[in-house]
């Protein structure tokens, strides 16, 4: 397969990808919200991180990574900047990052998605692959959150309801 | 945002999406492979399905769904056709479906990805959304498989190693 062939047939536009991602973020938000306060910060299975830690990871990636891509910064990845003590803090930060993501994502051009970028000075891949990684990583960790909720005897939201309340 | 704007800036080409998906399928295959035979079919948390059942769901979606999209069939979704008794059967089917996916995916045109299709006679969405759903659903369930493995005291493969052995 030639390079030309790999980039000529569009699968999805950037606006559609952003909408898709924000739909996932909406669902993840509802999963965070559903956890009882204590379990959000403490419950875990098999030595894994509690869901609050996973949420902080997601918050620490998306906005900062897009900012790095747009501004050409390669600062190291860090989760130190945000150390929430309550669910409310996590949800507030989640919501403010929604705007940060929209702001930076919309500044990335079609050509840029195909360019290689050394994300966080460590992950050198085409920009579109880095962004797909953010989405996939969120779906992956949220799937773990579903197991936590089930283990706590709670029914998680439907996986396909991305934009309902 | 106008319709024109939503479809003009390409995020990812169809060839790139297929490669991305097959990378995920490669990782999911390794997760299936890693489960001890008995636990693959029996282990569960919080009343959820064992990982073998989740794998059968994934196998029952991808190839049949793409075939339906390409051939315009709207047969109901069913997991009845494949009832494996061993890990080996699941892996063999997984591998033969890899080719089925490539075969049908490559017949979907750029215009078709944007058209609405009533998948399995039940899920009426643009084709690209249906396909993203297949990938997301796999990542979601595989994330659950990671928790199962951790609960069994096993270390899952690295999430980002899509194409290594």
């Amino acid at each position: 397969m030639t390079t030309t062939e790999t980039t000529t047939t569009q699968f999805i536009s950037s606006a559609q990808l952003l909408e898709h991602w924000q739909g996932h973020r909406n669902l993840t938000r509802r999963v965070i919200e559903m956890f009882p306060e204590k379990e959000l910060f403490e419950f875990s299975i098999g030595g894994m991180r509690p869901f609050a830690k996973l949420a902080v990871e997601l918050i620490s990636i998306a906005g900062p990574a897009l900012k790095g891509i747009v501004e050409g910064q390669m600062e190291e990845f860090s989760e130190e900047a945000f150390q929430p003590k309550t669910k409310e803090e996590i949800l507030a930060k989640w919501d403010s990052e929604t705007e940060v993501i929209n702001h930076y994502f919309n500044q990335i051009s079609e050509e840029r998605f195909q360019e290689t970028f050394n994300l966080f000075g460590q992950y050198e891949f085409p920009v579109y692959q880095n962004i797909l990684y953010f989405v996939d990583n969120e779906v992956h960790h949220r799937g773990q959150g579903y197991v936590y909720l089930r283990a706590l005897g709670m029914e998680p939201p439907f996986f396909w309801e991305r934009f309902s309340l």
Side-chain angles (χ1 to χ4, degrees), chain A residues 6-7 41 60 79 83 100 156 162:
Chain A
T6 59
T7 53
F41 288 89
S60 306
E79 299 182 24
Q83 305 196 351
V100 173
R162 303 286 159 73

Side-chain angles (χ1 to χ4, degrees), chain A residues 44-49 148:
Chain A
S44 99
I45 292 175
M48 298 177 73
R49 289 170 288 172
Y148 289 6

Side-chain angles (χ1 to χ4, degrees), chain A residues 21 61-75 104-105 107-109 112-120 123 125-132 134:
Chain A
W21 185 8
I61 291 178
L66 291 177
K67 185 172 188 290
I69 289 166
V70 168
E71 300 184 348
Q73 294 163 355
M74 289 173 268
E75 275 170 41
Y104 287 108
F105 186 91
Q107 295 179 53
I108 307 177
S109 68
R112 193 71 208 289
F113 285 125
Q114 297 297 327
E115 284 171 19
T116 294
F117 179 67
N118 193 12
L119 187 71
F120 296 124
Y123 307 99
F125 295 102
V127 167
Y128 81 85
Q129 287 187 14
N130 271 320
I131 292 173
L132 286 180
F134 311 154

Side-chain angles (χ1 to χ4, degrees), chain A residues 94-159:
Chain A
W94 193 267
D95 292 339
S96 65
E97 288 300 306
T98 300
E99 299 312 314
V100 173
I101 289 168
N102 289 339
H103 175 73
Y104 287 108
F105 186 91
N106 285 320
Q107 295 179 53
I108 307 177
S109 68
E110 180 164 325
E111 293 68 34
R112 193 71 208 289
F113 285 125
Q114 297 297 327
E115 284 171 19
T116 294
F117 179 67
N118 193 12
L119 187 71
F120 296 124
Q122 195 178 351
Y123 307 99
E124 191 140 23
F125 295 102
V127 167
Y128 81 85
Q129 287 187 14
N130 271 320
I131 292 173
L132 286 180
Y133 184 89
F134 311 154
V135 182
D136 294 339
N137 185 53
E138 174 164 346
V139 176
H140 173 73
H141 284 319
R142 190 182 58 215
Q144 299 173 342
Y146 272 55
V147 184
Y148 289 6
L149 287 175
R150 288 279 182 195
L152 290 165
M154 301 178 73
E155 183 159 356
F158 291 120
F159 178 65

Side-chain angles (χ1 to χ4, degrees), chain A residues 15-76:
Chain A
Q16 289 168 337
L17 189 281
L18 179 59
E19 188 188 9
H20 177 73
W21 185 8
Q22 293 290 17
H24 272 304
R25 293 187 71 257
N26 189 289
L27 176 57
T28 305
R29 189 192 195 283
R30 287 190 289 137
V31 172
I32 297 167
E33 209 167 9
M34 188 173 270
F35 270 87
E37 186 83 29
K38 183 177 171 0
E39 280 73 14
L40 180 61
F41 288 89
E42 295 176 11
F43 184 78
S44 99
I45 292 175
M48 298 177 73
R49 289 170 288 172
F51 200 64
K53 284 272 186 207
L54 299 177
V56 168
E57 179 190 300
L58 300 175
I59 287 169
S60 306
I61 291 178
L66 291 177
K67 185 172 188 290
I69 289 166
V70 168
E71 300 184 348
Q73 294 163 355
M74 289 173 268
E75 275 170 41
E76 223 173 293

